[in-house]
Amino acid sequence: MSGEVAVLGAGMHPWGKWGRSFVQYGTAAARAALADAGLDWRQVQSVVGANTVRCGYPGYVAGATFAQALGWQGARVSSVYSACASGAQAINTARSQILAGMADVVLVVGADSAPKGFFAPAGGDRPDDPDWLRFRVLGATNPAYFALYARRRIALYGESAEDFALVKVKNAAAGALNPNARYREAVSAEDVAASAVVADPLRLLDICATSDGAAALVLSSMDFARRHGAGRPVRIRAVSTVSPTYPRAVLDLPDIATDSAAAVDPLPQSFRASIARAAYEEAGVGPEDLSLAEVYDLSTALELEWYEDIGLCGTGEGAKLVREGATALGGRIPVNVSGGLASFGEAVPAQAIAQVCELTWQLRGTAGARQVPRARTGITANQGLFGHGSAVVAVR
């Protein structure tokens, strides 16, 4: 049995702050994906929804919610919640159903209407919850945590605020070409430097916003794709949802720990690097085979770390890639040609799905002005709270 599944359709609702229900966004994205696949809703045999959240609480049964909104027709429903990895988990659930022979056609949907400001945990005392602890005990909001990462890179590798700004400039240039992006204006390094300091050394334009938005995919078995007339579809070849390995000696989200790297050698690879490695091993490819990548740029500094984690360069060499233009459109290995979270903002259940939408359009050659020439293999990568890995390899 082939481990691949076909991507027959990809659709999105543009991201922004629209003030409407996440159900409306998800339904619009689902209909766009179905239209892209050339399928009727009644042909869908299963719906997998990535749950939306309200201040840390997974309060909506997304699979059934979207099935009801589209019109009950008897499809299986599943819902998953894995924080920022929810979309990848939903894709993996759909793929598993297809490969197990439970369904030929599965609709995957993620959508959110996010609160204003940064995400925070729900109220109440939860001393065994590391995410609650870092907010309540340390007062470390998301921007503060992102700044700790940035400070660490400055201390270890000699990077600078100017290096971080180059990431925003690159991603804003790509986002300006993406009709689904929330922010569609080019940004200069001077614009980044002039924006307000949020958590030193990061400024407002270094940190992604919270957004409303949605993304959806129609996945199918390869046999169904051929019967449907899709002779050479984009295929998902691997989905990595690995968890961390003990011990973790280096400060990392969402754990609170002393960075002991000065006294104890760190593990050979980080958690994030293990996510990408598992995806490469399953897909039978490596970083050298990539045409492009979509990574989780919660902040500009974090994008540089992902370059290293997915194997585009060695440890501490991320800034060198962005300075050389290697990860920009037209570069050797473009990263976040969608514009990334810098241009979209976070709509948590949708973002890992949105990354695969971008790979789909790029591998089809239909990405318009942001098209990567001759794109054949791409990887997505992000990380969900509480040890949820998230990476997808797509090929054509």
Side-chain angles (χ1 to χ4, degrees):
M1 177 186 295
S2 169
E4 296 182 339
V5 298
V7 183
L8 292 187
M12 294 182 70
H13 182 289
W15 293 26
K17 282 288 189 182
W18 308 111
R20 297 192 291 273
S21 165
F22 80 97
V23 182
Q24 291 179 263
Y25 308 140
T27 303
R31 287 175 175 152
L34 287 166
D36 185 46
L39 291 175
D40 185 271
W41 157 236
R42 290 168 293 185
Q43 292 175 270
V44 172
Q45 298 166 343
S46 180
V47 181
V48 183
N51 281 1
T52 189
V53 297
R54 287 298 174 273
C55 298
Y57 177 70
Y60 295 91
V61 184
T65 298
F66 295 127
Q68 181 182 26
L70 291 163
W72 293 124
Q73 45 87 312
R76 296 176 181 269
V77 291
S78 303
S79 300
V80 299
Y81 178 68
S82 311
C84 295
S86 295
Q89 293 277 1
I91 291 168
N92 197 47
T93 298
R95 182 181 72 147
S96 298
Q97 291 180 357
I98 292 167
L99 295 180
M102 296 169 62
D104 274 333
V105 181
V106 183
L107 173 67
V108 181
V109 190
D112 205 358
S113 81
K116 185 176 181 180
F118 53 75
F119 292 106
D125 294 336
R126 297 189 305 283
D128 58 347
D129 177 349
D131 201 39
W132 180 89
L133 284 170
R134 58 112 171 175
F135 272 89
R136 304 297 187 218
V137 177
L138 295 185
T141 62
N142 287 349
Y145 239 172
F146 305 156
L148 289 174
Y149 270 119
R151 276 285 167 206
R152 188 174 190 277
R153 291 194 67 84
I154 289 170
L156 288 178
Y157 312 130
E159 294 176 355
S160 66
E162 289 74 22
D163 292 322
F164 304 152
L166 293 177
V167 177
K168 174 66 176 184
V169 172
K170 169 187 75 71
N171 289 351
L177 304 175
N178 192 333
N180 289 308
R182 176 178 178 181
Y183 301 106
R184 300 191 59 200
E185 293 185 1
V187 168
S188 68
E190 292 74 23
D191 292 330
V192 179
S195 64
V197 174
V198 176
D200 188 65
L202 299 180
R203 295 179 176 271
L204 185 63
L205 294 184
D206 284 302
I207 298 171
C208 75
T210 60
S211 288
D212 299 356
L217 295 165
V218 176
L219 306 182
S220 81
S221 66
M222 296 304 297
D223 284 343
F224 181 92
R226 284 187 284 270
R227 294 197 305 270
H228 186 59
R232 192 167 166 264
V234 172
R235 290 111 60 204
I236 291 177
R237 183 171 283 179
V239 184
S240 169
T241 58
V242 299
S243 59
T245 301
Y246 182 85
R248 299 175 66 189
V250 177
L251 180 69
D252 195 5
L253 281 167
D255 294 337
I256 299 165
T258 300
D259 185 349
S260 59
V264 178
D265 289 337
L267 291 172
Q269 71 173 1
S270 68
F271 169 42
R272 283 187 305 274
S274 74
I275 299 170
R277 187 184 71 173
Y280 289 139
E281 288 178 352
E282 183 182 347
V285 301
E288 67 280 3
D289 299 307
L290 296 177
S291 306
L292 73 158
E294 288 285 310
V295 304
Y296 190 43
D297 58 317
L298 290 167
S299 79
T300 50
L302 283 172
E303 177 168 322
L304 298 182
E305 198 141 326
W306 276 112
Y307 295 173
E308 300 159 18
D309 292 328
I310 66 173
L312 302 186
C313 61
T315 300
E317 297 176 354
K320 182 174 182 286
L321 283 190
V322 78
R323 288 180 204 136
E324 294 172 347
T327 56
L329 276 170
R332 174 174 59 83
I333 176 63
V335 177
N336 284 345
V337 292
S338 65
L341 296 182
S343 299
F344 278 75
E346 281 197 275
V348 170
Q351 51 212 35
I353 301 170
Q355 289 179 322
V356 178
C357 287
E358 182 65 25
L359 290 193
T360 299
W361 295 321
Q362 290 287 344
L363 296 178
R364 286 177 179 172
T366 59
R370 64 185 191 282
Q371 179 65 49
V372 175
R374 299 176 298 282
R376 289 294 176 266
T377 303
I379 191 170
T380 71
N382 70 45
Q383 173 188 357
L385 287 176
F386 320 116
H388 289 112
S390 167
V392 177
V393 173
V395 299
R396 192 176 190 194

